[in-house]
Amino acid sequence: MIAARLADWRHYFQGPVWESAFTFLEQLPVGSPDNDGLVPIPDSALRYRVMSYPTRGPEGGVIEAHDTHVDIQMSLVGAEAIDWYERSGLVASQPYDAENDYVLFEKPASITGSVINAPGYFSVYFPEDAHMAQQLVGGVVETVRKVVIKVPLSLVRPAR
Protein backbone atom coordinates (compact mmCIF):
# COMPACT_ATOMS: atom_id res chain seq x y z
CA MET A 1 0.00 0.00 0.00
CA ILE A 2 1.24 3.44 -0.88
CA ALA A 3 -0.31 6.72 0.24
CA ALA A 4 0.98 10.12 -0.84
CA ARG A 5 0.16 13.56 -2.17
CA LEU A 6 -1.06 13.54 -5.77
CA ALA A 7 1.63 16.10 -6.65
CA ASP A 8 4.29 13.56 -5.59
CA TRP A 9 3.13 10.50 -7.56
CA ARG A 10 6.27 10.49 -9.73
CA HIS A 11 8.35 9.72 -6.63
CA TYR A 12 6.71 6.28 -6.50
CA PHE A 13 5.66 5.32 -10.03
CA GLN A 14 7.17 5.41 -13.50
CA GLY A 15 6.03 4.22 -16.90
CA PRO A 16 3.16 4.77 -19.31
CA VAL A 17 0.50 2.93 -17.29
CA TRP A 18 1.11 5.05 -14.19
CA GLU A 19 1.44 8.19 -16.33
CA SER A 20 -2.04 7.52 -17.78
CA ALA A 21 -3.57 6.87 -14.37
CA PHE A 22 -2.14 9.85 -12.54
CA THR A 23 -2.54 12.30 -15.42
CA PHE A 24 -6.20 11.29 -15.45
CA LEU A 25 -6.45 11.95 -11.70
CA GLU A 26 -4.75 15.33 -12.03
CA GLN A 27 -7.19 16.39 -14.75
CA LEU A 28 -10.43 14.89 -13.38
CA PRO A 29 -12.83 17.71 -12.43
CA VAL A 30 -13.93 17.73 -8.79
CA GLY A 31 -17.55 17.90 -9.95
CA SER A 32 -17.31 14.74 -12.07
CA PRO A 33 -20.62 12.91 -11.82
CA ASP A 34 -20.95 9.48 -10.27
CA ASN A 35 -21.07 6.57 -12.71
CA ASP A 36 -22.75 3.22 -12.17
CA GLY A 37 -19.91 1.04 -13.32
CA LEU A 38 -16.36 1.08 -14.51
CA VAL A 39 -15.67 3.43 -17.42
CA PRO A 40 -12.64 3.13 -19.73
CA ILE A 41 -10.00 5.84 -19.50
CA PRO A 42 -9.38 6.93 -23.10
CA ASP A 43 -6.23 5.61 -24.79
CA SER A 44 -5.41 3.16 -21.99
CA ALA A 45 -6.31 -0.24 -20.56
CA LEU A 46 -7.45 1.43 -17.33
CA ARG A 47 -10.98 1.84 -16.03
CA TYR A 48 -12.39 4.13 -13.38
CA ARG A 49 -15.47 4.78 -11.31
CA VAL A 50 -16.62 7.93 -9.50
CA MET A 51 -18.90 7.30 -6.52
CA SER A 52 -20.41 9.14 -3.56
CA TYR A 53 -21.39 7.84 -0.13
CA PRO A 54 -21.48 8.81 3.54
CA THR A 55 -18.64 7.61 5.73
CA ARG A 56 -19.44 5.15 8.51
CA GLY A 57 -17.96 3.24 11.36
CA PRO A 58 -16.20 -0.12 11.07
CA GLU A 59 -19.36 -2.04 11.89
CA GLY A 60 -20.70 -1.11 8.43
CA GLY A 61 -17.54 -1.63 6.43
CA VAL A 62 -16.27 -4.56 4.40
CA ILE A 63 -12.68 -5.64 3.94
CA GLU A 64 -11.81 -6.49 0.36
CA ALA A 65 -8.82 -7.29 -1.82
CA HIS A 66 -8.28 -7.88 -5.54
CA ASP A 67 -6.26 -10.52 -7.39
CA THR A 68 -5.96 -9.08 -10.90
CA HIS A 69 -6.10 -5.32 -10.39
CA VAL A 70 -4.41 -2.58 -8.41
CA ASP A 71 -6.74 0.07 -6.93
CA ILE A 72 -5.81 3.74 -6.97
CA GLN A 73 -8.25 5.62 -4.73
CA MET A 74 -8.59 9.38 -4.29
CA SER A 75 -11.25 11.58 -2.73
CA LEU A 76 -12.51 14.43 -4.89
CA VAL A 77 -14.75 15.90 -2.16
CA GLY A 78 -14.62 15.10 1.55
CA ALA A 79 -12.33 12.79 3.48
CA GLU A 80 -12.51 9.15 4.46
CA ALA A 81 -10.27 6.82 6.35
CA ILE A 82 -9.29 3.60 4.61
CA ASP A 83 -8.17 0.84 6.93
CA TRP A 84 -5.41 -1.41 5.62
CA TYR A 85 -4.80 -5.06 6.47
CA GLU A 86 -2.11 -7.54 5.51
CA ARG A 87 -4.09 -9.92 3.35
CA SER A 88 -2.00 -12.98 4.23
CA GLY A 89 -3.36 -13.09 7.79
CA LEU A 90 -7.06 -12.73 6.95
CA VAL A 91 -9.85 -15.29 6.69
CA ALA A 92 -12.18 -15.00 3.69
CA SER A 93 -15.85 -14.42 4.53
CA GLN A 94 -16.89 -14.92 0.90
CA PRO A 95 -15.04 -16.77 -1.84
CA TYR A 96 -13.19 -14.90 -4.56
CA ASP A 97 -15.47 -13.47 -7.27
CA ALA A 98 -13.36 -13.76 -10.45
CA GLU A 99 -15.83 -11.86 -12.63
CA ASN A 100 -15.66 -8.76 -10.40
CA ASP A 101 -12.15 -9.40 -9.02
CA TYR A 102 -12.73 -9.22 -5.29
CA VAL A 103 -12.68 -11.31 -2.16
CA LEU A 104 -14.22 -10.25 1.16
CA PHE A 105 -12.72 -10.99 4.56
CA GLU A 106 -13.78 -11.36 8.17
CA LYS A 107 -12.74 -8.45 10.38
CA PRO A 108 -9.72 -9.25 12.53
CA ALA A 109 -9.26 -7.91 16.05
CA SER A 110 -7.02 -5.06 14.86
CA ILE A 111 -6.06 -3.19 11.72
CA THR A 112 -2.55 -3.01 10.30
CA GLY A 113 -2.83 0.69 9.50
CA SER A 114 -5.09 3.43 8.24
CA VAL A 115 -4.78 6.31 5.78
CA ILE A 116 -6.93 9.36 5.28
CA ASN A 117 -7.87 9.98 1.67
CA ALA A 118 -8.68 13.64 1.17
CA PRO A 119 -8.61 15.79 -1.95
CA GLY A 120 -5.06 16.05 -3.23
CA TYR A 121 -3.99 12.70 -1.74
CA PHE A 122 -4.19 9.17 -3.11
CA SER A 123 -3.68 5.62 -1.92
CA VAL A 124 -2.77 2.52 -3.92
CA TYR A 125 -3.74 -1.03 -2.96
CA PHE A 126 -1.98 -4.04 -4.47
CA PRO A 127 -3.31 -7.63 -4.29
CA GLU A 128 -1.53 -8.21 -0.96
CA ASP A 129 -3.30 -5.16 0.53
CA ALA A 130 -6.78 -5.77 1.89
CA HIS A 131 -8.64 -2.54 2.57
CA MET A 132 -11.84 -1.18 4.07
CA ALA A 133 -12.94 2.21 2.75
CA GLN A 134 -15.79 4.51 3.81
CA GLN A 135 -14.51 4.92 7.36
CA LEU A 136 -15.17 7.97 9.53
CA VAL A 137 -12.52 10.62 10.02
CA GLY A 138 -12.60 12.14 13.50
CA GLY A 139 -15.88 10.42 14.33
CA VAL A 140 -17.85 12.67 11.94
CA VAL A 141 -20.06 11.39 9.11
CA GLU A 142 -19.14 13.10 5.86
CA THR A 143 -20.29 12.60 2.27
CA VAL A 144 -17.33 11.62 0.13
CA ARG A 145 -17.07 11.73 -3.66
CA LYS A 146 -14.15 9.64 -4.78
CA VAL A 147 -12.59 8.04 -7.81
CA VAL A 148 -11.18 4.53 -8.02
CA ILE A 149 -8.94 3.58 -10.93
CA LYS A 150 -8.50 -0.10 -11.73
CA VAL A 151 -5.03 -0.89 -13.08
CA PRO A 152 -4.62 -4.40 -14.51
CA LEU A 153 -1.91 -6.13 -12.51
CA SER A 154 -0.56 -7.67 -15.71
CA LEU A 155 0.51 -4.18 -16.86
CA VAL A 156 2.58 -3.41 -13.76
CA ARG A 157 4.01 -6.75 -12.62
CA PRO A 158 5.65 -9.50 -14.62
CA ALA A 159 3.85 -12.85 -14.66
CA ARG A 160 5.02 -15.17 -11.90
Side-chain angles (χ1 to χ4, degrees), residues 121-145:
Y121 292 84
F122 69 90
S123 54
V124 180
Y125 302 90
F126 295 89
E128 59 271 18
D129 301 318
H131 49 283
M132 182 169 62
Q134 302 182 350
Q135 298 303 291
L136 297 171
V137 174
V140 177
V141 175
E142 184 171 1
T143 298
V144 171
R145 173 174 285 122

mmCIF file of all heavy atoms in Angstrom, residues 121-145:
data_model
loop_
_atom_site.group_PDB
_atom_site.id
_atom_site.type_symbol
_atom_site.label_atom_id
_atom_site.label_comp_id
_atom_site.label_asym_id
_atom_site.label_seq_id
_atom_site.Cartn_x
_atom_site.Cartn_y
_atom_site.Cartn_z
ATOM 1 N N TYR A 121 -4.740 13.864 -2.212
ATOM 2 C CA TYR A 121 -3.988 12.701 -1.736
ATOM 3 C C TYR A 121 -4.567 11.442 -2.378
ATOM 4 O O TYR A 121 -5.758 11.391 -2.684
ATOM 5 C CB TYR A 121 -4.073 12.581 -0.211
ATOM 6 C CG TYR A 121 -3.357 13.692 0.490
ATOM 7 C CD1 TYR A 121 -3.985 14.917 0.700
ATOM 8 C CD2 TYR A 121 -2.041 13.541 0.921
ATOM 9 C CE1 TYR A 121 -3.319 15.962 1.323
ATOM 10 C CE2 TYR A 121 -1.376 14.579 1.550
ATOM 11 C CZ TYR A 121 -2.020 15.787 1.742
ATOM 12 O OH TYR A 121 -1.363 16.819 2.351
ATOM 13 N N PHE A 122 -3.736 10.424 -2.539
ATOM 14 C CA PHE A 122 -4.186 9.167 -3.115
ATOM 15 C C PHE A 122 -3.634 8.013 -2.295
ATOM 16 O O PHE A 122 -2.685 8.169 -1.528
ATOM 17 C CB PHE A 122 -3.726 9.025 -4.577
ATOM 18 C CG PHE A 122 -2.240 8.847 -4.723
ATOM 19 C CD1 PHE A 122 -1.668 7.577 -4.722
ATOM 20 C CD2 PHE A 122 -1.390 9.939 -4.853
ATOM 21 C CE1 PHE A 122 -0.297 7.399 -4.837
ATOM 22 C CE2 PHE A 122 -0.026 9.774 -4.980
ATOM 23 C CZ PHE A 122 0.525 8.496 -4.970
ATOM 24 N N SER A 123 -4.227 6.844 -2.485
ATOM 25 C CA SER A 123 -3.675 5.622 -1.917
ATOM 26 C C SER A 123 -3.805 4.519 -2.969
ATOM 27 O O SER A 123 -4.729 4.528 -3.781
ATOM 28 C CB SER A 123 -4.360 5.237 -0.605
ATOM 29 O OG SER A 123 -5.754 5.145 -0.749
ATOM 30 N N VAL A 124 -2.838 3.609 -2.941
ATOM 31 C CA VAL A 124 -2.772 2.523 -3.925
ATOM 32 C C VAL A 124 -2.755 1.200 -3.174
ATOM 33 O O VAL A 124 -1.976 1.028 -2.226
ATOM 34 C CB VAL A 124 -1.510 2.648 -4.806
ATOM 35 C CG1 VAL A 124 -1.456 1.525 -5.831
ATOM 36 C CG2 VAL A 124 -1.466 4.011 -5.499
ATOM 37 N N TYR A 125 -3.604 0.270 -3.608
ATOM 38 C CA TYR A 125 -3.741 -1.029 -2.959
ATOM 39 C C TYR A 125 -3.438 -2.139 -3.961
ATOM 40 O O TYR A 125 -4.118 -2.274 -4.979
ATOM 41 C CB TYR A 125 -5.155 -1.184 -2.371
ATOM 42 C CG TYR A 125 -5.435 -0.078 -1.385
ATOM 43 C CD1 TYR A 125 -6.011 1.114 -1.796
ATOM 44 C CD2 TYR A 125 -5.031 -0.205 -0.063
ATOM 45 C CE1 TYR A 125 -6.213 2.149 -0.898
ATOM 46 C CE2 TYR A 125 -5.228 0.826 0.842
ATOM 47 C CZ TYR A 125 -5.811 1.996 0.414
ATOM 48 O OH TYR A 125 -5.999 3.029 1.307
ATOM 49 N N PHE A 126 -2.409 -2.914 -3.652
ATOM 50 C CA PHE A 126 -1.980 -4.036 -4.469
ATOM 51 C C PHE A 126 -2.693 -5.302 -3.982
ATOM 52 O O PHE A 126 -3.346 -5.282 -2.928
ATOM 53 C CB PHE A 126 -0.457 -4.173 -4.372
ATOM 54 C CG PHE A 126 0.273 -2.991 -4.953
ATOM 55 C CD1 PHE A 126 0.584 -1.893 -4.165
ATOM 56 C CD2 PHE A 126 0.632 -2.974 -6.290
ATOM 57 C CE1 PHE A 126 1.242 -0.794 -4.696
ATOM 58 C CE2 PHE A 126 1.292 -1.881 -6.838
ATOM 59 C CZ PHE A 126 1.599 -0.789 -6.040
ATOM 60 N N PRO A 127 -2.593 -6.412 -4.709
ATOM 61 C CA PRO A 127 -3.309 -7.628 -4.288
ATOM 62 C C PRO A 127 -3.013 -8.073 -2.858
ATOM 63 O O PRO A 127 -3.883 -8.666 -2.206
ATOM 64 C CB PRO A 127 -2.859 -8.667 -5.311
ATOM 65 C CG PRO A 127 -2.663 -7.863 -6.549
ATOM 66 C CD PRO A 127 -2.014 -6.585 -6.044
ATOM 67 N N GLU A 128 -1.852 -7.800 -2.336
ATOM 68 C CA GLU A 128 -1.527 -8.206 -0.960
ATOM 69 C C GLU A 128 -2.103 -7.256 0.087
ATOM 70 O O GLU A 128 -1.988 -7.502 1.293
ATOM 71 C CB GLU A 128 -0.013 -8.340 -0.772
ATOM 72 C CG GLU A 128 0.768 -7.085 -1.048
ATOM 73 C CD GLU A 128 1.216 -6.909 -2.509
ATOM 74 O OE1 GLU A 128 0.672 -7.567 -3.410
ATOM 75 O OE2 GLU A 128 2.102 -6.078 -2.738
ATOM 76 N N ASP A 129 -2.748 -6.185 -0.363
ATOM 77 C CA ASP A 129 -3.297 -5.162 0.526
ATOM 78 C C ASP A 129 -4.815 -5.260 0.599
ATOM 79 O O ASP A 129 -5.519 -4.824 -0.312
ATOM 80 C CB ASP A 129 -2.942 -3.764 0.013
ATOM 81 C CG ASP A 129 -1.453 -3.525 -0.097
ATOM 82 O OD1 ASP A 129 -0.727 -3.939 0.826
ATOM 83 O OD2 ASP A 129 -1.024 -2.933 -1.111
ATOM 84 N N ALA A 130 -5.334 -5.816 1.675
ATOM 85 C CA ALA A 130 -6.782 -5.774 1.889
ATOM 86 C C ALA A 130 -7.109 -4.397 2.461
ATOM 87 O O ALA A 130 -6.300 -3.800 3.171
ATOM 88 C CB ALA A 130 -7.205 -6.884 2.842
ATOM 89 N N HIS A 131 -8.294 -3.896 2.136
ATOM 90 C CA HIS A 131 -8.636 -2.541 2.568
ATOM 91 C C HIS A 131 -10.130 -2.412 2.825
ATOM 92 O O HIS A 131 -10.945 -3.120 2.255
ATOM 93 C CB HIS A 131 -8.176 -1.514 1.527
ATOM 94 C CG HIS A 131 -8.582 -1.849 0.118
ATOM 95 N ND1 HIS A 131 -7.934 -2.812 -0.639
ATOM 96 C CD2 HIS A 131 -9.567 -1.373 -0.664
ATOM 97 C CE1 HIS A 131 -8.502 -2.896 -1.828
ATOM 98 N NE2 HIS A 131 -9.508 -2.037 -1.869
ATOM 99 N N MET A 132 -10.450 -1.480 3.733
ATOM 100 C CA MET A 132 -11.837 -1.185 4.075
ATOM 101 C C MET A 132 -12.015 0.328 4.009
ATOM 102 O O MET A 132 -11.518 1.075 4.866
ATOM 103 C CB MET A 132 -12.193 -1.698 5.474
ATOM 104 C CG MET A 132 -13.651 -1.441 5.848
ATOM 105 S SD MET A 132 -14.211 -2.299 7.353
ATOM 106 C CE MET A 132 -13.155 -1.599 8.603
ATOM 107 N N ALA A 133 -12.708 0.776 2.969
ATOM 108 C CA ALA A 133 -12.940 2.205 2.755
ATOM 109 C C ALA A 133 -14.188 2.659 3.512
ATOM 110 O O ALA A 133 -14.765 1.909 4.293
ATOM 111 C CB ALA A 133 -13.087 2.472 1.260
ATOM 112 N N GLN A 134 -14.563 3.893 3.287
ATOM 113 C CA GLN A 134 -15.786 4.507 3.807
ATOM 114 C C GLN A 134 -15.756 4.750 5.311
ATOM 115 O O GLN A 134 -16.803 4.933 5.937
ATOM 116 C CB GLN A 134 -17.024 3.670 3.451
ATOM 117 C CG GLN A 134 -17.204 3.452 1.984
ATOM 118 C CD GLN A 134 -18.452 2.657 1.654
ATOM 119 O OE1 GLN A 134 -19.111 2.107 2.524
ATOM 120 N NE2 GLN A 134 -18.785 2.605 0.382
ATOM 121 N N GLN A 135 -14.588 4.782 5.912
ATOM 122 C CA GLN A 135 -14.510 4.920 7.364
ATOM 123 C C GLN A 135 -14.505 6.384 7.795
ATOM 124 O O GLN A 135 -13.988 7.262 7.098
ATOM 125 C CB GLN A 135 -13.263 4.206 7.886
ATOM 126 C CG GLN A 135 -13.269 2.704 7.601
ATOM 127 C CD GLN A 135 -14.499 2.026 8.171
ATOM 128 O OE1 GLN A 135 -14.653 1.914 9.382
ATOM 129 N NE2 GLN A 135 -15.412 1.610 7.299
ATOM 130 N N LEU A 136 -15.086 6.630 8.967
ATOM 131 C CA LEU A 136 -15.169 7.971 9.533
ATOM 132 C C LEU A 136 -13.783 8.569 9.774
ATOM 133 O O LEU A 136 -12.849 7.844 10.113
ATOM 134 C CB LEU A 136 -15.889 7.924 10.885
ATOM 135 C CG LEU A 136 -17.337 7.455 10.910
ATOM 136 C CD1 LEU A 136 -17.788 7.270 12.361
ATOM 137 C CD2 LEU A 136 -18.227 8.439 10.185
ATOM 138 N N VAL A 137 -13.711 9.867 9.626
ATOM 139 C CA VAL A 137 -12.515 10.619 10.020
ATOM 140 C C VAL A 137 -12.933 11.496 11.189
ATOM 141 O O VAL A 137 -13.866 12.286 11.069
ATOM 142 C CB VAL A 137 -11.977 11.484 8.857
ATOM 143 C CG1 VAL A 137 -10.819 12.359 9.328
ATOM 144 C CG2 VAL A 137 -11.550 10.611 7.688
ATOM 145 N N GLY A 138 -12.285 11.336 12.323
ATOM 146 C CA GLY A 138 -12.600 12.145 13.498
ATOM 147 C C GLY A 138 -13.995 11.916 14.060
ATOM 148 O O GLY A 138 -14.549 12.801 14.699
ATOM 149 N N GLY A 139 -14.569 10.744 13.782
ATOM 150 C CA GLY A 139 -15.882 10.422 14.328
ATOM 151 C C GLY A 139 -17.045 11.161 13.693
ATOM 152 O O GLY A 139 -18.166 11.110 14.193
ATOM 153 N N VAL A 140 -16.811 11.857 12.580
ATOM 154 C CA VAL A 140 -17.848 12.669 11.938
ATOM 155 C C VAL A 140 -18.253 12.046 10.600
ATOM 156 O O VAL A 140 -17.395 11.741 9.772
ATOM 157 C CB VAL A 140 -17.328 14.109 11.698
ATOM 158 C CG1 VAL A 140 -18.358 14.955 10.975
ATOM 159 C CG2 VAL A 140 -16.919 14.752 13.010
ATOM 160 N N VAL A 141 -19.559 11.880 10.396
ATOM 161 C CA VAL A 141 -20.063 11.390 9.114
ATOM 162 C C VAL A 141 -19.908 12.494 8.074
ATOM 163 O O VAL A 141 -20.262 13.654 8.327
ATOM 164 C CB VAL A 141 -21.542 10.964 9.213
ATOM 165 C CG1 VAL A 141 -22.087 10.573 7.845
ATOM 166 C CG2 VAL A 141 -21.703 9.816 10.201
ATOM 167 N N GLU A 142 -19.371 12.138 6.929
ATOM 168 C CA GLU A 142 -19.137 13.096 5.856
ATOM 169 C C GLU A 142 -19.472 12.412 4.538
ATOM 170 O O GLU A 142 -19.214 11.223 4.369
ATOM 171 C CB GLU A 142 -17.662 13.518 5.878
ATOM 172 C CG GLU A 142 -17.304 14.575 4.895
ATOM 173 C CD GLU A 142 -15.883 15.102 5.106
ATOM 174 O OE1 GLU A 142 -15.170 14.629 5.998
ATOM 175 O OE2 GLU A 142 -15.500 15.993 4.336
ATOM 176 N N THR A 143 -20.049 13.151 3.599
ATOM 177 C CA THR A 143 -20.291 12.598 2.273
ATOM 178 C C THR A 143 -19.018 12.755 1.444
ATOM 179 O O THR A 143 -18.471 13.852 1.338
ATOM 180 C CB THR A 143 -21.475 13.289 1.576
ATOM 181 O OG1 THR A 143 -22.644 13.058 2.363
ATOM 182 C CG2 THR A 143 -21.688 12.732 0.182
ATOM 183 N N VAL A 144 -18.562 11.654 0.906
ATOM 184 C CA VAL A 144 -17.330 11.616 0.126
ATOM 185 C C VAL A 144 -17.680 11.356 -1.335
ATOM 186 O O VAL A 144 -18.546 10.530 -1.633
ATOM 187 C CB VAL A 144 -16.407 10.480 0.642
ATOM 188 C CG1 VAL A 144 -15.225 10.269 -0.268
ATOM 189 C CG2 VAL A 144 -15.955 10.778 2.056
ATOM 190 N N ARG A 145 -17.043 12.067 -2.240
ATOM 191 C CA ARG A 145 -17.069 11.728 -3.660
ATOM 192 C C ARG A 145 -15.642 11.323 -3.987
ATOM 193 O O ARG A 145 -14.703 12.062 -3.709
ATOM 194 C CB ARG A 145 -17.495 12.882 -4.541
ATOM 195 C CG ARG A 145 -17.329 12.499 -6.037
ATOM 196 C CD ARG A 145 -17.841 13.513 -7.023
ATOM 197 N NE ARG A 145 -19.280 13.435 -7.039
ATOM 198 C CZ ARG A 145 -20.090 14.452 -6.760
ATOM 199 N NH1 ARG A 145 -19.593 15.625 -6.460
ATOM 200 N NH2 ARG A 145 -21.386 14.303 -6.782
#
